[in-house]
Amino acid sequence: MEIITQVIDIFLHLDHYLGGFVRDHGSWIYLLLFLIVFAETGLVVMPLLPGDSLLFVTGTLAAAGGMDIAWIIVVLISAAICGDNTNYWVGHHLGPKVFRRHDARFLNPRHLERAQEFYARHGAKAVIIGRFLPIIRTFVPFVAGIGRMPYLRFLSFSILGTFLWVLAFVLAGYFFGNIPIVKRNLTFVIFGIIVVSLLPGAVQYWRSRRV
């Protein structure tokens, strides 16, 4: 229970934790950001790491002078593209074997099934759309690899989706995160980003339960 409480606290107070890391470790923050985004995007066992809210907060810290906005954008785009590619090739070579255990806690076959349904409905657009959906974005590249989507086609959509995702959230934090009313209520803004990001997946889950 203590661990869950700590995780929730980190999610809702990313600005404090990241700001403290910048103060204590300086430029090592860029490596930390790379590792978090790479893991959330590229490792199927890490779908619950912060994504959208992390990008928004880093933009906010950059606007306050804590980090360089150009380096943030380069690092996050690189991490997400590397993660997508890793996930694609894992899916391509290992496929459904990764999800053999139906009782697996983190490699839940239901996540894979939802990503497959999403991918089937939206086709190649899923690579772009899925980038904006927590959990789904972790599994869409994996499913693209399983489905043997042509690599260059996947890569082009992955790059486009990554640019849109990183620029949208980082620049939103950069330009709006330090507006006084937003800054005073940043915890609620982070919570709102998390809720809005998860809403499409929750709606889809609710619809599937009704069928």
Side-chain angles (χ1 to χ4, degrees):
M1 192 64 185
E2 234 177 88
I3 295 176
I4 295 175
T5 303
Q6 181 68 22
V7 169
I8 293 173
D9 186 64
I10 291 173
F11 267 75
L12 295 180
H13 300 94
L14 275 172
D15 54 323
H16 297 305
Y17 285 95
L18 288 181
F21 192 93
V22 171
R23 288 192 300 272
D24 295 340
H25 304 288
S27 58
W28 285 102
I29 185 64
Y30 300 108
L31 176 60
L32 176 65
L33 293 176
F34 182 94
L35 293 176
I36 292 174
V37 173
F38 174 83
E40 194 244 3
T41 306
L43 305 179
V44 290
V45 295
M46 296 289 185
L48 298 179
L49 287 173
D52 304 336
S53 55
L54 177 71
L55 269 59
F56 184 88
V57 169
T58 55
T60 299
L61 293 176
M67 288 184 279
D68 182 88
I69 187 67
W71 270 109
I72 288 173
I73 291 172
V74 169
V75 167
L76 294 178
I77 286 176
S78 301
I81 291 175
C82 288
D84 262 9
N85 277 266
T86 299
N87 223 342
Y88 174 91
W89 289 112
V90 168
H92 184 84
H93 291 295
L94 299 183
K97 294 178 182 178
V98 178
F99 285 82
R100 277 182 306 187
R101 291 180 57 86
H102 288 269
D103 60 340
R105 180 174 299 179
F106 298 107
L107 300 180
N108 193 324
R110 285 177 295 180
H111 295 326
L112 177 60
E113 289 166 11
R114 284 202 292 271
Q116 286 173 322
E117 292 168 5
F118 184 80
Y119 189 82
R121 284 199 309 275
H122 297 286
K125 290 186 297 184
V127 180
I128 296 177
I129 299 171
R131 169 57 64 185
F132 289 84
L133 302 176
I135 299 178
I136 290 290
R137 70 169 149 258
T138 304
F139 292 97
V140 165
F142 185 79
V143 175
I146 292 176
R148 298 297 194 269
M149 180 180 184
Y151 176 66
L152 291 180
R153 181 172 171 78
F154 166 79
L155 182 62
S156 63
F157 282 99
S158 170
I159 292 173
L160 177 58
T162 297
F163 268 82
L164 294 174
W165 180 60
V166 170
L167 292 176
F169 282 99
V170 171
L171 294 182
Y174 187 79
F175 289 113
F176 301 109
N178 284 289
I179 294 175
I181 190 171
V182 176
K183 193 171 184 178
R184 287 196 302 269
N185 299 281
L186 192 55
T187 297
F188 295 104
V189 173
I190 293 172
F191 180 75
I193 292 172
I194 294 171
V195 170
V196 171
S197 299
L198 292 173
L199 195 57
V203 170
Q204 180 58 37
Y205 176 77
W206 178 73
R207 286 178 176 172
S208 67
R209 295 285 291 180
R210 292 187 63 192
V211 175

